[in-house]
Amino acid sequence: MYGTNCTTHANVPAIFSPVGLLTSPRTPPSPMSNRFLEPLELCYRSLCDCGDKTVADGSLLDFLRQVSTFGLSLVKLDIRQESDRHTDALDAITAHLGIGSYRSWPEEKRQEWLLSELRGRRPLFGGDLPMTEEVADVLGTFRVLAELPPDCFGAYIISMATAPSDVLAVELLQRECHVGHPLRVVPLFEKLADLEAAPAAVARLFSIDWYMDRIGGKQEVMIGYSDSGKDAGRLSAAWQLYKAQEELVKVAKQYGVKLTMFHGRGGTVGRGGGPTHLAILSQPPETVNGSLRVTVQGEVIEHSFGEEHLCFRTLQRFTAATLEHGMHPPVSPKPEWRALMDEMAVVATEEYRAMVFKEPRFVEYFRSATPETEYGRMNIGSRPSKRKPSGGIETLRAIPWIFAWTQTRFHLPVWLGFGAAFKHIMHKDIRNVQALREMYNEWPFFRVTLDLLEMVFAKGDPGIAALYDELLVADELKPLGEQLRSNYEDTKKLLVQVAGHRDVLEDDPYLKQRLRLRDPYITTLNVCQAYTLKRIRDPSFQVTAQPPLSKEFTDENQPASLVKLNAASEYAPGLEDTLILTMKGIAAGMQNTG
């Protein structure tokens, strides 16, 4: 399940009228719910007939309404799996049938074969299908979908979707595993190239008669903020997400399909997070149309839904922004603004990838200067830190990628690329400075993008990042850190120049003050974490810096009395607990505000 999904369009629930009759809901209860409701309705009517309507209208009526509204499963579970895992399953099937390797087929051949099977009725495999553990896991998931009541599930999300065959593959696997009520299939386009190709992929699906009959005029498409940012940097990802939505809406209109955009946002700015109201209002015109779907990630669920009043406030924010977007659509960017953004995005992507994927020393520096390695070894994440055990940044999930840089207050994935883009545009033509300010003042998308970047700079502290470097990074890698911190400062100066400000968050003194109040507490945690990481990586290290830390922290022979000891830890007593406490504290202090 991908986070918790919050929608701004809820179905009208089934309710009981004062006389006890079930009204017709827009989405009727499932057959299993109806079977469960029948004896309860009988009890209700019997109580009413006996003159005990007051009793009937108490907890029994409340319970009937709850079952009618939510069903027996309460919350529908979304299923999510990567497209490559489906490819592996189909490759095993085609190899078993002796018709070749599905994985090696070109896209057109995949589509042709999938459609021929979907239009036919023959079973593709039985119990004798040779399976790896991964293939068995995929097929086992589909078999569970077939066994459980259909109202338990929502959508089947295909992460890392790239082509129409990814969607058709899931449709075929659902049929082969006898899923009686197939889940709606939602492709999730994440990387930059996949977002660029998404409109064409969706258009191809809509051109298939079988598929159009299957979806009944409705389609959900998910776009990923986290992995697109990790792939190309925040600026380029944000702009490509904007353009992809515009084109997807055009495709849906062309084929007469009701399109719902599903936003795969994370909690932090680097993963597409930010104040809800501003995020929705910055979406392209005609991409909301009264409804949208978003993920509410694990790290911010408590912040948004931890208490009853927070739930209502969150719903109000989504509802108000959705209505406002429809009644007062944001302005469309001028052609000259689009041209500037296209040019800036190319430059930003080049700088970002040159450092993250092409700089030979970067991975080693990243793993030395941040707690990414320790985070991956500790059981505090919702998913494994990597998609594959080996590989570099490309196999690392977006959550630990952002999390690690957030811990050191450097936030590199958010700002890297912006500076080069600003500098390129300004040096090309000095008049572009005024054009950028015009974009900032008149275009909600651009303003929100820069305002969130300002907020990140207000939270950041390159001095803290320098402390991590001093303690944890090898001498031969320290020049790379100095280069990045210089880039950080240059980007910050260019940002306030483009926004027409003297300092970050000049237009939001209240937020600036709140962040200033947090700073001493977070800094203390940062210092504690940096020295803890040093102790973990170098057990012979002795703390001599001033101010001195407690005896329990510095003396290897003393237990860490201030934290609960973790007997299962591979580290010295208390070190892992200390690290977890500092990680959670810093993460809480870095949360978005607004």
Side-chain angles (χ1 to χ4, degrees):
M1 182 177 180
Y2 189 73
T4 298
N5 303 317
C6 174
T7 74
T8 61
H9 58 293
N11 290 323
V12 176
I15 60 172
F16 279 79
S17 68
V19 295
L21 297 176
L22 185 63
T23 62
S24 298
R26 279 170 54 187
T27 302
S30 68
M32 179 170 286
S33 296
N34 278 331
R35 289 198 299 272
F36 186 78
L37 284 170
E38 284 175 6
L40 295 175
E41 288 181 52
L42 182 61
C43 291
Y44 181 90
R45 293 186 175 94
S46 176
L47 286 168
C48 292
D49 292 343
C50 294
D52 289 328
K53 191 172 185 304
T54 302
V55 176
D57 286 342
S59 58
L60 176 59
L61 180 57
D62 289 342
F63 185 60
L64 284 165
R65 285 172 170 159
Q66 289 171 3
V67 175
S68 299
T69 303
F70 301 109
L72 298 181
S73 56
L74 187 63
V75 175
K76 292 185 182 233
L77 185 71
D78 280 0
I79 307 300
R80 175 169 166 169
Q81 186 57 272
E82 291 183 35
S83 58
D84 273 353
R85 299 287 296 276
H86 304 135
T87 300
D88 290 340
L90 289 171
D91 192 69
I93 292 170
T94 57
H96 180 61
L97 294 174
I99 59 175
S101 170
Y102 178 86
R103 177 173 289 281
S104 66
W105 290 349
E107 174 62 19
E108 287 303 318
K109 184 173 181 180
R110 289 185 182 186
Q111 291 182 34
E112 182 182 352
W113 180 74
L114 290 167
L115 285 170
S116 68
E117 295 299 331
L118 284 166
R119 287 169 175 148
R121 294 188 176 182
R122 68 162 183 166
L124 288 176
F125 63 92
D128 60 339
L129 175 68
M131 291 183 284
T132 62
E133 184 178 343
E134 289 77 13
V135 171
D137 178 63
V138 170
L139 297 180
T141 299
F142 283 105
R143 289 181 177 125
V144 169
L145 298 182
E147 294 171 359
L148 294 178
D151 60 347
C152 293
F153 303 106
Y156 194 108
I157 300 167
I158 311 168
S159 59
M160 292 296 174
T162 61
S165 62
D166 293 327
V167 175
L168 298 175
V170 173
E171 296 286 7
L172 182 59
L173 289 172
Q174 288 195 90
R175 192 199 72 179
E176 287 301 309
C177 294
H178 311 292
V179 180
H181 295 81
L183 279 62
R184 66 183 190 278
V185 181
V186 179
L188 165 54
F189 300 101
E190 301 184 78
K191 292 189 175 182
L192 198 68
D194 299 333
L195 286 166
E196 292 172 351
V202 172
R204 169 60 183 142
L205 286 171
F206 291 167
S207 69
I208 300 171
D209 292 340
W210 180 91
Y211 188 77
M212 289 294 280
D213 292 339
R214 163 76 175 92
I215 63 175
K218 297 179 181 179
Q219 177 67 52
E220 198 172 302
V221 174
M222 188 173 181
I223 51 175
Y225 290 69
S226 300
D227 281 283
S228 59
K230 183 169 76 76
D231 177 45
R234 178 81 177 100
L235 177 63
S236 305
W239 179 228
Q240 189 55 54
L241 286 160
Y242 188 96
K243 293 194 295 182
Q245 289 184 74
E246 290 182 314
E247 293 303 315
L248 286 167
V249 167
K250 291 178 183 177
V251 169
K253 281 186 175 181
Q254 178 184 347
Y255 287 91
V257 174
K258 164 63 177 172
L259 180 69
T260 297
M261 297 304 308
F262 187 177
H263 298 264
R265 291 178 175 272
T268 58
V269 173
R271 300 179 60 222
T276 300
H277 194 82
L278 295 178
I280 294 176
L281 293 183
S282 66
Q283 299 306 309
E286 300 185 33
T287 58
V288 176
N289 288 330
S291 67
L292 78 161
R293 209 174 169 215
V294 300
T295 52
V296 179
Q297 293 295 311
E299 67 266 29
V300 293
I301 282 180
E302 185 175 2
H303 182 72
S304 300
F305 300 99
E307 298 179 29
E308 184 178 353
H309 74 280
L310 293 177
C311 295
F312 282 103
R313 189 169 70 184
T314 299
L315 178 60
Q316 287 167 354
R317 285 174 174 167
F318 277 104
T319 304
T322 302
L323 292 172
E324 186 175 346
H325 190 283
M327 292 186 291
H328 302 286
V331 298
S332 296
K334 298 177 182 178
E336 55 268 31
W337 297 353
R338 288 182 178 276
L340 282 177
M341 281 300 301
D342 285 337
E343 193 169 347
M344 290 170 64
V346 170
V347 175
T349 301
E350 287 177 355
E351 183 188 55
Y352 178 88
R353 289 178 172 172
M355 176 57 68
V356 174
F357 298 112
K358 297 178 182 178
E359 167 56 60
R361 304 168 297 167
F362 179 78
V363 173
E364 184 182 359
Y365 170 78
F366 164 60
R367 289 177 174 159
S368 300
T370 72
E372 181 268 332
T373 304
E374 288 75 14
Y375 174 81
R377 286 206 296 261
M378 293 186 295
N379 188 27
I380 62 175
S382 60
R383 284 169 271 179
S385 62
K386 285 190 169 187
R387 287 189 167 89
K388 297 178 182 177
S390 60
I393 303 300
E394 67 280 357
T395 66
L396 187 69
R397 289 187 183 273
I399 295 174
W401 166 244
I402 299 293
F403 184 90
W405 289 111
T406 300
Q407 291 289 300
T408 65
R409 308 270 290 279
F410 200 44
H411 307 287
L412 177 138
V414 183
W415 59 262
L416 185 59
F418 273 91
F422 288 148
K423 192 178 296 183
H424 170 79
I425 291 297
M426 292 176 179
H427 287 178
K428 182 177 181 180
D429 189 338
I430 192 62
R431 291 173 296 181
N432 285 335
V433 176
Q434 187 57 38
L436 291 172
R437 286 185 181 171
E438 181 185 359
M439 292 163 64
Y440 179 78
N441 291 323
E442 299 181 19
W443 187 15
F445 163 78
F446 194 69
R447 185 181 188 93
V448 168
T449 300
L450 297 198
D451 282 350
L452 290 176
L453 184 60
E454 278 201 26
M455 181 178 69
V456 168
F457 274 119
K459 296 175 181 178
D461 189 338
I464 295 295
L467 172 66
Y468 282 76
D469 275 19
E470 179 184 346
L471 289 172
L472 306 171
V473 175
D475 289 340
E476 62 270 19
L477 294 175
K478 287 180 179 177
L480 182 58
E482 294 170 1
Q483 175 189 340
L484 288 170
R485 288 192 291 277
S486 176
N487 191 341
Y488 176 101
E489 296 292 355
D490 290 343
T491 302
K492 183 177 178 180
K493 292 175 184 175
L494 290 167
L495 171 65
V496 294
Q497 183 181 349
V498 169
H501 298 162
R502 289 168 295 180
D503 194 12
V504 294
L505 293 184
E506 181 181 288
D507 287 348
D508 196 344
Y510 175 68
L511 174 56
K512 191 172 185 178
Q513 176 65 9
R514 290 181 68 182
L515 296 178
R516 187 180 291 120
L517 290 172
R518 298 182 193 182
D519 189 68
Y521 304 98
I522 305 172
T523 298
T524 301
L525 292 171
N526 280 124
V527 173
C528 186
Q529 183 182 97
Y531 278 96
T532 302
L533 288 168
K534 181 65 174 177
R535 287 284 307 281
I536 286 175
R537 297 177 186 181
D538 182 7
S540 65
F541 174 71
Q542 294 297 319
V543 179
T544 58
Q546 297 295 328
L549 300 175
S550 68
K551 180 181 179 182
E552 290 85 356
F553 188 80
T554 58
D555 189 346
E556 186 73 38
N557 298 316
Q558 291 290 331
S561 60
L562 298 180
V563 294
K564 178 182 177 182
L565 299 184
N566 184 354
S569 173
E570 60 184 281
Y571 307 123
L575 289 182
E576 182 171 313
D577 295 292
T578 303
L579 189 58
I580 291 173
L581 287 171
T582 60
M583 284 182 172
K584 291 185 175 181
I586 294 167
M590 291 290 103
Q591 279 187 356
N592 296 329
T593 304

